[in-house]
Each structure stands twice: as structure tokens, then as C-alpha cells.
Amino acid sequence: MGIWGISARSRNWLGLCNISWRMSRQSFKQIGRRTFSDSCTVKIDDSVLPVLIIGAGPVGMALSILLTKLGVKCAILEKNKAFSTHPQAHFINNRSMEVFRKLDGLGDEILRSQPPVEFWRKFIYCTSLTGPILGAVDHMQPQDFDQIASPVSVAHFSQYKLSRLLLKHLEKLGFHMVNSEKHEHGSIGEREIFMGHECIAINGAERGVTVTASFLSKGKYMTRDIQCHFLVGTDGAGSSVRKSLGINMRGEKDLQKLVSVHFLSEALGQYLIKERPGMLFFIFNKDAIGVLVAHDLKQGEFVLQVPFYPPQQKLEDFSFEMCKRLIFKLVGLELADVNVMDIKPWVMHAEVAEKFLSCNNRIILAGDAAHRFPPAGGFGMNTGIQDAHNLAWKLASVIEGVSPISILNSYELERSQIAQFNTALSVQNFKAAMKVPAALGLDPTVANAVHRALNDTVGSILPSVLQRTILDGIFSIGRAQLSDFVLNENNPLGSARLAKLRQIFEEGQSLQLQFPAEDLGFRYRKGALVSEDDSVLNVHEAPTGRRRDYIPCSEPGSRLPHMNVKLLSNPSSKEIFSTLDLVSVDKVEFVLIIAPFKESYCLARAALEVANKFKLPLKVCVMWPNGSIDGTGRSEAALTPWKSFEEVVEVKRSSDSPSWWDICQMTERGAILVRPDEHVAWRTKSRIADPIMTMKSVFHIVTGVDCI
């Protein structure tokens, strides 16, 4: 047995799996960049669990909800016996909220449960929480709430609270938690969450995977084998699934080591609500430096992040009492009700797995198991939620026999593009955060360079006490730059530094919270889609690190633009919904959006005919212009004999608001094919000469089904 429980036999098999994966990619390249039909449809054995998810974090639970709603049986293994209450991620971006709002009202629950926006819209820079404010940045703009670009807004909601809501929704779907002590024997069935089960070995064959899990029962460690058709590793940054498969991470390691201190103080929360509400507080003074994350000011729940420099500093140095004293230094006064709950070290990385798929696409990585970002911008959990959204419909398509297993290649093609981009953007945003201490005379690279010198060069032979003294001396010299004597308008040096700081804030060069262009506007350049221009397949606009507005578009790979619509059959109804709701969350179904024109109806009939012949789920949506009231029967007659269609009418905010087709940057003579994850698979801007052959080609490229 190796360190991850992989036997020699398993390693040989894994090697074959990796070879199989590479062969699959080679075959894929030979038949065309966007074709996935190079492998057969999967045969599902009903006695074997279709999908096993390792890791019950937000990504794993979101994936299990999405799969279950699509009719796919799944179960979850979680190595911990209980869910963590240590706050981690807390910012949920627009796209993730769009995913959540379609999961039986989960998005609305989050918005109702989060703190008021006024309590978290700002980042505040200060010398202490009760001392002078150096600057404040408001990260919310009016358009963030007007629901023009999206039917839902962003949220500030701690990860452990989100996990509780996800668990509640799983329980509504019939899932139940199983304690290892109470389920020593027997197989794992669908809709079960096994707590205290750690994946220690992975073995596979051409048609499935066997996972060996270790668990504690009656004081003894025991193992059980679980067979599944697909294994999805959502087990976090230290993923045992990824390590077991020998998949390396590529990028920048160890950008920063930190200690996270979770504490409660209602008094501090109430003070900040009254005096200076915010989400993040960057605190710089001669006694201490830290970043305070206000997870919930009303509840007085905070996490303090402080730099950590081992081995000169030890985790034991951060005792509960020492952390209290540190909190008091950063607050600027002592608080009687500070209750330190937990202290954890962690390391900031910026890495992406070299591959997301293994073993003939039977083992899949998602979330932090596939990518690790700096927390700047909140891309970590959000990218993982969107991994799950991309993966769910593809897994369901394979398991239902709609698509060949090779369509899963598109998961890696699409999500690795986004992970690489978000890595670069997160690093840029992290570097932007470093501009503030640098402007104050605190160059973070100096401390890091001294730390490296102590560990990697001649400094490592010095006695540990002397190493610690040197490091503490460097920190003291640095913090001296923050003294009142230096940092004031009457001191020429201090005045220049404060002016530089103001410039950074005014020009938007500091740490940013929102990135609408990247949040809603990310686009897959290759994958399960028909690209319009091969020359731009690998072209991404470089991240700027600054906030950019989202510009809707309908290019293949883009998220479908949002517009409010209502059913044409009931035009007087006040019930409106989003174009995103045209795509079902309860079944794998493509949607073809057309306008009510003869040529468009002809294309729709061809699409429905091809879909029916090759058993592809398709619905046609006829988009009527704003104000239409008399269209009943027209589409029914034009689409006969097909019944799989619905008609909606645009709901404009005002008479001069753009039409649906204007928002999509198209004319109403075009058509848009939308995937089950609400991303555009294909579009046409003009009349098509041979609709049947065109739709055969489109569905072949997008689904991998051999329609040609």
C-alpha cells in the first residue's frame, strides 16, 4: 500500500486509465476539435450506484442536488463526522446565485438569510477598528440591484450556513445522513450522505470504479468497498481523489501562509454597524496587522486573517489568549465578550489540476480539488459551483444513454479554460490588495524574502531562537512605518504615502469584490458548442484586475442573456420569469429560441425532427415581441405535428428598452440553441439553406451523438 492506499495492482490499472484517457483525447483530435462521438454509449448496471461524490462541501452537495433533479441516482462520502462551522468562503456571485435560484428557491433563502447589503458593501482600511479610517471602497453599484443583467443579485453568506441550506434541500429530496457507527454493514445506496468515511483507495475497470472507504466503528477502523459508474472528487484543495490518481497541480504554490481566527463578539458587531459597517477591514498599526472578515455583523461573527511564517512561528504561538490580545490590538480597545471559537492555519495557492478527468472519464475532479485560487474576488467556491452546473447535465446525458461518455471531455475543455482565467484574475486581485500596504511603506516582498532566506540559505543553520528574533525584528521595523509620528499629513513622508493611498482607491487599483464581466460574461471557447470562428478559440481578453461591466451576448459558449418574459397564452398575467427559466432544471433538455417567422418555424421543425429521430431532448421556444397578444394557434399550425414548444412574449421595462434580439446582438431572423446549463450551444443569424443537415451537424458536434 502507498501513502494514499493505492496498491501496485491499482497503480497499474491507473496507468492504463491514464493511457486510455490520452488515447481518447488523441482520437478526439483526429475526428475534429468539437466532436465527442469517439466512444460508445455507457451501459448502466442498475445494481451499481451511478455516481458517487467524494466530499460534502458546497460543490459536492450542489452537484448531488442537480443530479438528483435530473433523475440521476447518487450518494456522498464525507471524511469528517460533522460539518465544519468555521466560516470560509462567503461571497456568492451572480452566476452561482442564478444556479441556486432554480434549486427550489434556494437563492431566495440565501437572500433572506444574508445580512443587509448596507452592512457588507464596503471594504474599510483603517489603523484600528476604533481608530482613523485610511479609506473606504464601496463595491456595490446601482446596476447590481436592478436585475437587468441577471434575475438575482450577489450575496454575502458564510459557507457553513450555505452548507446547512444545501443539506436541508437534499433532505427534501430524500437524502439522509448516515453515521458510520450505525451503518457498519451493507452497501451504500442512493440519496445517502455517509459521514466519517474517508476514501483510501480507488480501483477501476472499463465500466466502473470501486472506492474503498475507511470509517471508525465501535472504536475500530473498518473498510467498505463501494461500486459506482462515475466518481466525482469534490473533496477540496487537499483532494485525496486527486492525489490518489497522481494528478499534479500547476501554477504558483505557497503565495502566502496565514492563520484564520474565528471569533464572536456581539459588542464589536453592534459598534461596526453603527460606526463603520463593512465586509472586510484591512487594519494596519504599529502593534499588529490583519484582515478582518465580518461574516455577520448582526450576529457578531468574524474571522481574522493574519500572516503566518513557520517554522520560526509555530501554530502553538497562536493560543486562544494570544489571539484575543491580537484582536484587542486591531480593535483598539479591549472587549469583554470576545469568544475565540477556532484557530486554523491555511496556505494560499494559485493552481489548476493538469487534468480534470481520469480513467476513461470515469473519475472527475471539480471545485477546489481541480483548482485552488487566492480568496481575492471570491472565485474559489463560485467556480466550483459552476463546475457542478456544467458537469451535471453531461453526466446525466451519459447515464441516460443520450450522449457517449466522451462528451465528458467537454467538461475538462470548458472548465479548465475558466479555471486558468480565474486563477490569473485572482492573482491579479491579490497583488492589487498588496498595493495598499506597499503604499504605507510595508513591502510584503521584504518579509517574504527574509523568511525564504531564513529557511533556504545560510540562515537555516542559525539557532531557531535567533531566526525568530530576526523575523520579529523585521516585522517591528515594518510596523514602525505605521506609527502616528510617520503616518500623518504633517510628516512629508507620511503625507506622500497617504496621497498615494487615496490615488489607489480613487483609480480602483485596490482589492476588488465584483467582476461582472467575468462573473456573467465568461465564455467557453471550445467544448460542447459550435464555434463561429476558429481563429478566436484560444483567445481570451486578458484579465485587468479592475471591475468591468457585463455586456450580454449570444455567442456560442456564452451564458444565455437574461430578459423578463411571460407566457403568450396569458398576456394579461402579471407572472413574469427569466429567459434563463426557459431551460429546465428537472430534465436534460435543449431549447431552441426562435422568432415567429416562416423560415424560423422551418428550422424549428427540422430541429425537432432530428431530435426525435436521434432521441435528443429538445423544446422550441417562440419569442414574440413586446406587446404581442394575438399569436395563439400560429405556432401550433406552423410546427405541426410537433408539440414540444412554448410561446413567450418579451416584457420590456420601458418602450425604449432593447428587444430580446437586440440584447443578444442579433436580428429576429436568427435562432439560438441553448444547452441544459443555460449556455449557448449554437446560433444562426440568417436563413439556413438545408435545415435538416445543419441540425444533424449541430447536434452531432454538441452532444456527440452520431447524427450524420
mmCIF file with all atom_site columns, all heavy atoms in Angstrom, residues 655-669:
data_model
loop_
_atom_site.group_PDB
_atom_site.id
_atom_site.type_symbol
_atom_site.label_atom_id
_atom_site.label_alt_id
_atom_site.label_comp_id
_atom_site.label_asym_id
_atom_site.label_entity_id
_atom_site.label_seq_id
_atom_site.pdbx_PDB_ins_code
_atom_site.Cartn_x
_atom_site.Cartn_y
_atom_site.Cartn_z
_atom_site.occupancy
_atom_site.B_iso_or_equiv
_atom_site.pdbx_formal_charge
_atom_site.auth_seq_id
_atom_site.auth_comp_id
_atom_site.auth_asym_id
_atom_site.auth_atom_id
_atom_site.pdbx_PDB_model_num
ATOM 1   N N   . SER A 1 655 ? -40.596 51.557 -23.127 1.00 0.00 ? 655 SER A N   1
ATOM 2   C CA  . SER A 1 655 ? -40.772 51.460 -24.577 1.00 0.00 ? 655 SER A CA  1
ATOM 3   C C   . SER A 1 655 ? -39.457 51.537 -25.338 1.00 0.00 ? 655 SER A C   1
ATOM 4   O O   . SER A 1 655 ? -39.335 51.006 -26.443 1.00 0.00 ? 655 SER A O   1
ATOM 5   C CB  . SER A 1 655 ? -41.714 52.571 -25.063 1.00 0.00 ? 655 SER A CB  1
ATOM 6   O OG  . SER A 1 655 ? -41.181 53.849 -24.717 1.00 0.00 ? 655 SER A OG  1
ATOM 7   N N   . ASP A 1 656 ? -38.450 52.214 -24.749 1.00 0.00 ? 656 ASP A N   1
ATOM 8   C CA  . ASP A 1 656 ? -37.178 52.343 -25.446 1.00 0.00 ? 656 ASP A CA  1
ATOM 9   C C   . ASP A 1 656 ? -36.152 51.293 -24.993 1.00 0.00 ? 656 ASP A C   1
ATOM 10  O O   . ASP A 1 656 ? -34.982 51.357 -25.366 1.00 0.00 ? 656 ASP A O   1
ATOM 11  C CB  . ASP A 1 656 ? -36.599 53.750 -25.274 1.00 0.00 ? 656 ASP A CB  1
ATOM 12  C CG  . ASP A 1 656 ? -36.402 54.128 -23.804 1.00 0.00 ? 656 ASP A CG  1
ATOM 13  O OD1 . ASP A 1 656 ? -36.860 53.365 -22.925 1.00 0.00 ? 656 ASP A OD1 1
ATOM 14  O OD2 . ASP A 1 656 ? -35.789 55.186 -23.556 1.00 0.00 ? 656 ASP A OD2 1
ATOM 15  N N   . SER A 1 657 ? -36.582 50.338 -24.183 1.00 0.00 ? 657 SER A N   1
ATOM 16  C CA  . SER A 1 657 ? -35.682 49.253 -23.789 1.00 0.00 ? 657 SER A CA  1
ATOM 17  C C   . SER A 1 657 ? -35.404 48.366 -24.993 1.00 0.00 ? 657 SER A C   1
ATOM 18  O O   . SER A 1 657 ? -36.258 48.209 -25.876 1.00 0.00 ? 657 SER A O   1
ATOM 19  C CB  . SER A 1 657 ? -36.305 48.416 -22.669 1.00 0.00 ? 657 SER A CB  1
ATOM 20  O OG  . SER A 1 657 ? -36.473 49.171 -21.499 1.00 0.00 ? 657 SER A OG  1
ATOM 21  N N   . PRO A 1 658 ? -34.228 47.764 -25.055 1.00 0.00 ? 658 PRO A N   1
ATOM 22  C CA  . PRO A 1 658 ? -33.904 46.911 -26.202 1.00 0.00 ? 658 PRO A CA  1
ATOM 23  C C   . PRO A 1 658 ? -34.766 45.656 -26.231 1.00 0.00 ? 658 PRO A C   1
ATOM 24  O O   . PRO A 1 658 ? -35.241 45.179 -25.199 1.00 0.00 ? 658 PRO A O   1
ATOM 25  C CB  . PRO A 1 658 ? -32.430 46.565 -25.978 1.00 0.00 ? 658 PRO A CB  1
ATOM 26  C CG  . PRO A 1 658 ? -32.215 46.719 -24.510 1.00 0.00 ? 658 PRO A CG  1
ATOM 27  C CD  . PRO A 1 658 ? -33.118 47.826 -24.080 1.00 0.00 ? 658 PRO A CD  1
ATOM 28  N N   . SER A 1 659 ? -34.963 45.141 -27.438 1.00 0.00 ? 659 SER A N   1
ATOM 29  C CA  . SER A 1 659 ? -35.700 43.883 -27.592 1.00 0.00 ? 659 SER A CA  1
ATOM 30  C C   . SER A 1 659 ? -34.792 42.714 -27.214 1.00 0.00 ? 659 SER A C   1
ATOM 31  O O   . SER A 1 659 ? -33.581 42.877 -27.016 1.00 0.00 ? 659 SER A O   1
ATOM 32  C CB  . SER A 1 659 ? -36.160 43.717 -29.040 1.00 0.00 ? 659 SER A CB  1
ATOM 33  O OG  . SER A 1 659 ? -35.035 43.423 -29.876 1.00 0.00 ? 659 SER A OG  1
ATOM 34  N N   . TRP A 1 660 ? -35.390 41.530 -27.132 1.00 0.00 ? 660 TRP A N   1
ATOM 35  C CA  . TRP A 1 660 ? -34.606 40.327 -26.829 1.00 0.00 ? 660 TRP A CA  1
ATOM 36  C C   . TRP A 1 660 ? -33.478 40.139 -27.837 1.00 0.00 ? 660 TRP A C   1
ATOM 37  O O   . TRP A 1 660 ? -32.331 39.882 -27.481 1.00 0.00 ? 660 TRP A O   1
ATOM 38  C CB  . TRP A 1 660 ? -35.524 39.106 -26.825 1.00 0.00 ? 660 TRP A CB  1
ATOM 39  C CG  . TRP A 1 660 ? -34.799 37.802 -26.960 1.00 0.00 ? 660 TRP A CG  1
ATOM 40  C CD1 . TRP A 1 660 ? -34.775 36.968 -28.032 1.00 0.00 ? 660 TRP A CD1 1
ATOM 41  C CD2 . TRP A 1 660 ? -33.948 37.189 -25.965 1.00 0.00 ? 660 TRP A CD2 1
ATOM 42  N NE1 . TRP A 1 660 ? -33.982 35.874 -27.784 1.00 0.00 ? 660 TRP A NE1 1
ATOM 43  C CE2 . TRP A 1 660 ? -33.462 35.978 -26.524 1.00 0.00 ? 660 TRP A CE2 1
ATOM 44  C CE3 . TRP A 1 660 ? -33.555 37.540 -24.685 1.00 0.00 ? 660 TRP A CE3 1
ATOM 45  C CZ2 . TRP A 1 660 ? -32.612 35.125 -25.835 1.00 0.00 ? 660 TRP A CZ2 1
ATOM 46  C CZ3 . TRP A 1 660 ? -32.702 36.686 -23.999 1.00 0.00 ? 660 TRP A CZ3 1
ATOM 47  C CH2 . TRP A 1 660 ? -32.246 35.509 -24.562 1.00 0.00 ? 660 TRP A CH2 1
ATOM 48  N N   . TRP A 1 661 ? -33.803 40.277 -29.114 1.00 0.00 ? 661 TRP A N   1
ATOM 49  C CA  . TRP A 1 661 ? -32.801 40.033 -30.155 1.00 0.00 ? 661 TRP A CA  1
ATOM 50  C C   . TRP A 1 661 ? -31.734 41.121 -30.154 1.00 0.00 ? 661 TRP A C   1
ATOM 51  O O   . TRP A 1 661 ? -30.573 40.857 -30.482 1.00 0.00 ? 661 TRP A O   1
ATOM 52  C CB  . TRP A 1 661 ? -33.481 39.900 -31.519 1.00 0.00 ? 661 TRP A CB  1
ATOM 53  C CG  . TRP A 1 661 ? -34.445 38.744 -31.530 1.00 0.00 ? 661 TRP A CG  1
ATOM 54  C CD1 . TRP A 1 661 ? -35.803 38.813 -31.434 1.00 0.00 ? 661 TRP A CD1 1
ATOM 55  C CD2 . TRP A 1 661 ? -34.109 37.353 -31.571 1.00 0.00 ? 661 TRP A CD2 1
ATOM 56  N NE1 . TRP A 1 661 ? -36.338 37.550 -31.423 1.00 0.00 ? 661 TRP A NE1 1
ATOM 57  C CE2 . TRP A 1 661 ? -35.327 36.635 -31.515 1.00 0.00 ? 661 TRP A CE2 1
ATOM 58  C CE3 . TRP A 1 661 ? -32.911 36.647 -31.663 1.00 0.00 ? 661 TRP A CE3 1
ATOM 59  C CZ2 . TRP A 1 661 ? -35.385 35.235 -31.544 1.00 0.00 ? 661 TRP A CZ2 1
ATOM 60  C CZ3 . TRP A 1 661 ? -32.956 35.255 -31.685 1.00 0.00 ? 661 TRP A CZ3 1
ATOM 61  C CH2 . TRP A 1 661 ? -34.167 34.561 -31.633 1.00 0.00 ? 661 TRP A CH2 1
ATOM 62  N N   . ASP A 1 662 ? -32.097 42.345 -29.752 1.00 0.00 ? 662 ASP A N   1
ATOM 63  C CA  . ASP A 1 662 ? -31.092 43.411 -29.612 1.00 0.00 ? 662 ASP A CA  1
ATOM 64  C C   . ASP A 1 662 ? -30.126 43.085 -28.473 1.00 0.00 ? 662 ASP A C   1
ATOM 65  O O   . ASP A 1 662 ? -28.911 43.280 -28.592 1.00 0.00 ? 662 ASP A O   1
ATOM 66  C CB  . ASP A 1 662 ? -31.768 44.759 -29.338 1.00 0.00 ? 662 ASP A CB  1
ATOM 67  C CG  . ASP A 1 662 ? -32.500 45.307 -30.547 1.00 0.00 ? 662 ASP A CG  1
ATOM 68  O OD1 . ASP A 1 662 ? -32.128 44.933 -31.678 1.00 0.00 ? 662 ASP A OD1 1
ATOM 69  O OD2 . ASP A 1 662 ? -33.448 46.098 -30.353 1.00 0.00 ? 662 ASP A OD2 1
ATOM 70  N N   . ILE A 1 663 ? -30.676 42.606 -27.362 1.00 0.00 ? 663 ILE A N   1
ATOM 71  C CA  . ILE A 1 663 ? -29.831 42.227 -26.228 1.00 0.00 ? 663 ILE A CA  1
ATOM 72  C C   . ILE A 1 663 ? -28.839 41.145 -26.651 1.00 0.00 ? 663 ILE A C   1
ATOM 73  O O   . ILE A 1 663 ? -27.665 41.164 -26.253 1.00 0.00 ? 663 ILE A O   1
ATOM 74  C CB  . ILE A 1 663 ? -30.701 41.721 -25.055 1.00 0.00 ? 663 ILE A CB  1
ATOM 75  C CG1 . ILE A 1 663 ? -31.496 42.878 -24.448 1.00 0.00 ? 663 ILE A CG1 1
ATOM 76  C CG2 . ILE A 1 663 ? -29.837 41.049 -23.984 1.00 0.00 ? 663 ILE A CG2 1
ATOM 77  C CD1 . ILE A 1 663 ? -32.516 42.444 -23.420 1.00 0.00 ? 663 ILE A CD1 1
ATOM 78  N N   . CYS A 1 664 ? -29.309 40.226 -27.476 1.00 0.00 ? 664 CYS A N   1
ATOM 79  C CA  . CYS A 1 664 ? -28.452 39.123 -27.951 1.00 0.00 ? 664 CYS A CA  1
ATOM 80  C C   . CYS A 1 664 ? -27.515 39.547 -29.076 1.00 0.00 ? 664 CYS A C   1
ATOM 81  O O   . CYS A 1 664 ? -26.728 38.723 -29.563 1.00 0.00 ? 664 CYS A O   1
ATOM 82  C CB  . CYS A 1 664 ? -29.323 37.956 -28.430 1.00 0.00 ? 664 CYS A CB  1
ATOM 83  S SG  . CYS A 1 664 ? -30.243 37.158 -27.108 1.00 0.00 ? 664 CYS A SG  1
ATOM 84  N N   . GLN A 1 665 ? -27.618 40.794 -29.501 1.00 0.00 ? 665 GLN A N   1
ATOM 85  C CA  . GLN A 1 665 ? -26.809 41.318 -30.605 1.00 0.00 ? 665 GLN A CA  1
ATOM 86  C C   . GLN A 1 665 ? -27.065 40.515 -31.888 1.00 0.00 ? 665 GLN A C   1
ATOM 87  O O   . GLN A 1 665 ? -26.143 40.127 -32.607 1.00 0.00 ? 665 GLN A O   1
ATOM 88  C CB  . GLN A 1 665 ? -25.325 41.320 -30.244 1.00 0.00 ? 665 GLN A CB  1
ATOM 89  C CG  . GLN A 1 665 ? -25.007 42.154 -29.009 1.00 0.00 ? 665 GLN A CG  1
ATOM 90  C CD  . GLN A 1 665 ? -23.529 42.181 -28.667 1.00 0.00 ? 665 GLN A CD  1
ATOM 91  O OE1 . GLN A 1 665 ? -22.681 42.213 -29.564 1.00 0.00 ? 665 GLN A OE1 1
ATOM 92  N NE2 . GLN A 1 665 ? -23.210 42.191 -27.385 1.00 0.00 ? 665 GLN A NE2 1
ATOM 93  N N   . MET A 1 666 ? -28.343 40.247 -32.128 1.00 0.00 ? 666 MET A N   1
ATOM 94  C CA  . MET A 1 666 ? -28.780 39.502 -33.309 1.00 0.00 ? 666 MET A CA  1
ATOM 95  C C   . MET A 1 666 ? -30.032 40.158 -33.881 1.00 0.00 ? 666 MET A C   1
ATOM 96  O O   . MET A 1 666 ? -30.633 41.041 -33.255 1.00 0.00 ? 666 MET A O   1
ATOM 97  C CB  . MET A 1 666 ? -29.108 38.044 -32.928 1.00 0.00 ? 666 MET A CB  1
ATOM 98  C CG  . MET A 1 666 ? -27.914 37.221 -32.493 1.00 0.00 ? 666 MET A CG  1
ATOM 99  S SD  . MET A 1 666 ? -28.411 35.560 -31.982 1.00 0.00 ? 666 MET A SD  1
ATOM 100 C CE  . MET A 1 666 ? -29.123 34.908 -33.501 1.00 0.00 ? 666 MET A CE  1
ATOM 101 N N   . THR A 1 667 ? -30.453 39.687 -35.057 1.00 0.00 ? 667 THR A N   1
ATOM 102 C CA  . THR A 1 667 ? -31.736 40.101 -35.609 1.00 0.00 ? 667 THR A CA  1
ATOM 103 C C   . THR A 1 667 ? -32.756 39.017 -35.281 1.00 0.00 ? 667 THR A C   1
ATOM 104 O O   . THR A 1 667 ? -32.407 37.884 -34.938 1.00 0.00 ? 667 THR A O   1
ATOM 105 C CB  . THR A 1 667 ? -31.680 40.275 -37.137 1.00 0.00 ? 667 THR A CB  1
ATOM 106 O OG1 . THR A 1 667 ? -31.585 38.981 -37.759 1.00 0.00 ? 667 THR A OG1 1
ATOM 107 C CG2 . THR A 1 667 ? -30.480 41.117 -37.540 1.00 0.00 ? 667 THR A CG2 1
ATOM 108 N N   . GLU A 1 668 ? -34.032 39.370 -35.411 1.00 0.00 ? 668 GLU A N   1
ATOM 109 C CA  . GLU A 1 668 ? -35.092 38.409 -35.092 1.00 0.00 ? 668 GLU A CA  1
ATOM 110 C C   . GLU A 1 668 ? -35.208 37.301 -36.139 1.00 0.00 ? 668 GLU A C   1
ATOM 111 O O   . GLU A 1 668 ? -36.015 36.376 -35.979 1.00 0.00 ? 668 GLU A O   1
ATOM 112 C CB  . GLU A 1 668 ? -36.428 39.141 -34.956 1.00 0.00 ? 668 GLU A CB  1
ATOM 113 C CG  . GLU A 1 668 ? -36.803 39.940 -36.182 1.00 0.00 ? 668 GLU A CG  1
ATOM 114 C CD  . GLU A 1 668 ? -37.989 40.848 -35.930 1.00 0.00 ? 668 GLU A CD  1
ATOM 115 O OE1 . GLU A 1 668 ? -38.441 40.961 -34.778 1.00 0.00 ? 668 GLU A OE1 1
ATOM 116 O OE2 . GLU A 1 668 ? -38.457 41.454 -36.908 1.00 0.00 ? 668 GLU A OE2 1
ATOM 117 N N   . ARG A 1 669 ? -34.406 37.358 -37.176 1.00 0.00 ? 669 ARG A N   1
ATOM 118 C CA  . ARG A 1 669 ? -34.395 36.276 -38.174 1.00 0.00 ? 669 ARG A CA  1
ATOM 119 C C   . ARG A 1 669 ? -33.446 35.147 -37.771 1.00 0.00 ? 669 ARG A C   1
ATOM 120 O O   . ARG A 1 669 ? -33.303 34.167 -38.487 1.00 0.00 ? 669 ARG A O   1
ATOM 121 C CB  . ARG A 1 669 ? -33.970 36.832 -39.542 1.00 0.00 ? 669 ARG A CB  1
ATOM 122 C CG  . ARG A 1 669 ? -34.908 37.899 -40.090 1.00 0.00 ? 669 ARG A CG  1
ATOM 123 C CD  . ARG A 1 669 ? -36.232 37.312 -40.541 1.00 0.00 ? 669 ARG A CD  1
ATOM 124 N NE  . ARG A 1 669 ? -37.181 38.353 -40.958 1.00 0.00 ? 669 ARG A NE  1
ATOM 125 C CZ  . ARG A 1 669 ? -38.351 38.101 -41.537 1.00 0.00 ? 669 ARG A CZ  1
ATOM 126 N NH1 . ARG A 1 669 ? -38.692 36.849 -41.775 1.00 0.00 ? 669 ARG A NH1 1
ATOM 127 N NH2 . ARG A 1 669 ? -39.160 39.086 -41.862 1.00 0.00 ? 669 ARG A NH2 1
#
